[in-house]
Amino acid sequence: MKTTLTYGETLSITSMLFGLFFGAGNLIFPAFMGQQAGSNIWYALIGFLITGVGMPMLAVAALGITGSSGLLNLSQRVGRRFGLLFTCALYLTIGPFFASPRCVTVPFEIGAKALLPPGTSEPLALLLFSLLFVAAALWFSLRPGKILVWTGKILTPLFLAVLGILLAAALTDPAASIASLPPAPAYANTPILQGFLDGYNTMDTLAGLAFGIIVVDVIRKLGIEESGAVARNTVKAGIFSCLLMGVIYVFVAMAGAGSRGYAPLSGNGGAVLASISSHYFSDAGAALLAFIVLLACLKTVIGLITSCSEAFVKMFPDKFSYNQLAVTFAVVTFLIANIGLSAIIQFSIPVLMMLYPIAILLTLTSLIGHICGLDRLLIRSIMAATVLSSVFDFLKALPPDWLTAVGLDGLILRLTESLPFFAQGFGWICPSLLGLAVGTVLKYSRTKHSRQA
């Protein structure tokens, strides 16, 4: 019985997983962070790599090591209802509601829009661009058996080659010394914490939990059936792909920091990348950047439609077919993409602030529980506290005028003053530790009573 992938198979799966991970946010957010962090770039990168590389790697490892068939199976170890609700929320967030539409609008905003003739209607151009983009992604997604070929062997290598051209130009001919660049206010005092939060925007920890089902299925199709062997090969592919992401994050952040030598501080990472490409490649830079971002986002949308459709088929068997779900998710992606990138990002940030702590604690408790045998009562206590506190992080990330309109601004102010780390975006840390303490006491009490009985 086959237990180990060949070198070529491992390389293809690593390339595929990297391709699924590396989308719009993986380019624009490290570039923006690098430009903003300036001389504090290395501290910011520490935080960014924890949530942008370390946690996704652990998420894939958690699925592999625990032998889970997917996120639903992993999360139902906390509770059946929790597992179903969290799995649905996560897949819809990284799929048709936020990540997929963002991947459609980013290449339009920072690539295609710059190539439009003067006087062109931007809403109409976005409508046509998103229609063609989603149609192409759907065509690939309706052939899920070919995802290893399309993403792992064609789109990802092509993307890396084109991105390498841009990064080589930026890094071999830097326009400024990073050490001389003053950091922006957000990165001046707590760059590590700010980088940690910036890593949320990549959605990679959520994607790691979601894409594991694709990796496991591909490995099994390559002839490995034994659960332990599937786990080992899944973890190996996860480690390699996340390390590759980490290297590219460092290079993109450095290129973003170097852009301070020829461009002012930008409002978003797309503008940073546009400055870099136009500086080194003049008029051809817009076309080069458009091609890079198009490849990055297309392969990710293919993976998102595929993984979301497969997950919902398994969650609701005999109710929907894979093709029905793929078409539905593609249509929803198309519709939401046309509200524009700024609106998508504005609505997504509060949801990410709520889901990320839950995903992090689910990953950690799953891994630690598998290794050390955590009691289920303890895990439930931790997760209950995390879920409750993440709701407050969700509220805090809403626009201030929304909070004022519903009368919640006073609550947020009191939490900011009284809950440690809440102001920095980490209000879930202390409640999670409290949940650990309460769970430990309850476990001890239950053990004591059972002994007395």
Side-chain angles (χ1 to χ4, degrees):
M1 180 183 292
K2 184 177 180 181
T3 59
T4 304
L5 296 173
T6 66
Y7 174 79
E9 289 171 340
T10 300
L11 185 61
S12 294
I13 292 179
T14 298
S15 176
M16 178 196 74
L17 184 56
F18 168 83
L20 298 177
F21 271 127
F22 210 94
N26 307 81
L27 279 173
I28 62 177
F29 292 114
F32 179 73
M33 181 191 70
Q35 190 188 68
Q36 294 284 313
S39 59
N40 281 343
I41 183 173
W42 302 112
Y43 296 106
L45 272 168
I46 291 173
F48 190 89
L49 292 176
I50 291 173
T51 45
V53 176
M55 288 309 305
M57 186 163 57
L58 290 178
V60 175
L63 287 166
I65 290 174
T66 60
S68 302
S69 59
L71 174 60
L72 179 63
N73 182 239
L74 183 73
S75 56
Q76 280 187 334
R77 300 179 184 198
V78 179
R80 185 176 179 278
R81 290 183 180 177
F82 168 84
L84 187 63
L85 289 173
F86 179 67
T87 301
C88 288
L90 186 145
Y91 273 107
L92 292 174
T93 297
I94 68 162
F97 286 178
F98 297 117
S100 286
R102 188 178 74 182
C103 282
V104 176
T105 54
V106 165
F108 175 80
E109 289 289 336
I110 67 176
K113 192 164 74 171
L115 304 175
L116 294 176
T120 302
S121 169
E122 286 189 14
L124 178 60
L126 175 60
L127 180 72
L128 296 175
F129 176 87
S130 59
L131 180 62
L132 293 173
F133 187 103
V134 172
L138 178 61
W139 187 88
F140 287 110
S141 302
L142 290 175
R143 295 156 179 81
K146 296 289 185 180
I147 193 168
L148 179 62
V149 175
W150 297 126
T151 304
K153 297 182 179 180
I154 299 176
L155 292 176
T156 297
L158 183 59
F159 161 73
L160 288 173
V162 179
L163 179 63
I165 295 172
L166 179 63
L167 291 179
L171 298 178
T172 57
D173 185 23
S177 170
I178 294 178
S180 65
L181 302 173
Y187 297 86
N189 298 319
T190 57
I192 294 178
L193 292 180
Q194 185 59 45
F196 192 97
L197 288 176
D198 288 339
Y200 279 16
N201 290 317
T202 66
M203 301 192 192
D204 282 342
T205 300
L206 308 183
L209 291 170
F211 288 149
I213 188 174
I214 295 180
V215 178
V216 170
D217 287 345
V218 169
I219 289 174
R220 285 177 175 156
K221 288 176 182 177
L222 291 173
I224 296 180
E225 297 292 340
E226 195 269 317
S227 59
V230 171
R232 288 192 299 273
N233 287 281
T234 300
V235 172
K236 185 189 298 184
I239 291 173
F240 288 161
S241 63
C242 289
L243 289 177
L244 177 58
M245 279 201 303
V247 171
I248 294 180
Y249 284 152
V250 172
F251 289 162
V252 172
M254 290 176 63
S259 69
R260 294 269 291 273
Y262 49 82
L265 288 175
S266 302
N268 59 74
V272 177
L273 291 171
S275 298
I276 296 171
S277 60
S278 63
H279 176 76
Y280 289 101
F281 295 97
S282 301
D283 294 338
L288 178 65
L289 181 61
F291 191 48
I292 290 172
V293 177
L294 183 67
L295 288 173
C297 295
L298 177 60
K299 57 187 176 47
T300 297
V301 173
I302 294 169
L304 291 172
I305 293 176
T306 301
S307 60
C308 288
S309 301
E310 291 182 345
F312 274 83
V313 165
K314 292 187 177 181
M315 281 190 289
F316 305 102
D318 303 323
K319 292 188 178 181
F320 309 101
S321 70
Y322 172 87
N323 286 356
Q324 287 173 333
L325 287 167
V327 171
T328 300
F329 290 147
V331 170
V332 174
T333 295
F334 165 73
L335 294 174
I336 294 180
N338 279 274
I339 71 173
L341 179 60
S342 297
I344 293 170
I345 292 177
Q346 181 185 39
F347 289 126
S348 68
I349 289 177
V351 178
L352 292 177
M353 293 299 293
M354 180 174 66
L355 291 183
Y356 240 90
I358 301 173
I360 290 173
L361 267 297
L362 177 63
T363 299
L364 294 179
T365 55
S366 298
L367 286 171
I368 297 172
H370 182 77
I371 296 171
C372 304
L374 282 183
D375 185 83
R376 191 177 187 186
L377 177 62
L378 194 61
I379 294 176
R380 284 185 165 183
S381 179
I382 295 171
M383 294 306 301
T386 303
V387 170
L388 179 61
S389 61
S390 68
V391 172
F392 297 134
D393 285 324
F394 168 83
L395 294 174
K396 177 178 176 292
L398 291 173
D401 53 333
W402 291 15
L403 293 173
T404 302
V406 295
L408 290 175
D409 48 341
L411 171 64
I412 298 303
L413 178 60
R414 287 192 292 273
L415 287 171
T416 302
E417 295 172 344
S418 59
L419 183 60
F421 310 116
F422 184 74
Q424 292 77 28
F426 300 97
W428 53 273
I429 292 179
C430 287
S432 299
L433 293 175
L434 179 61
L436 173 63
V438 171
T440 302
V441 171
L442 292 175
K443 179 185 175 183
Y444 173 78
S445 176
R446 186 181 63 180
T447 303
K448 182 178 179 180
H449 289 156
S450 62
R451 287 176 178 175
Q452 291 175 346

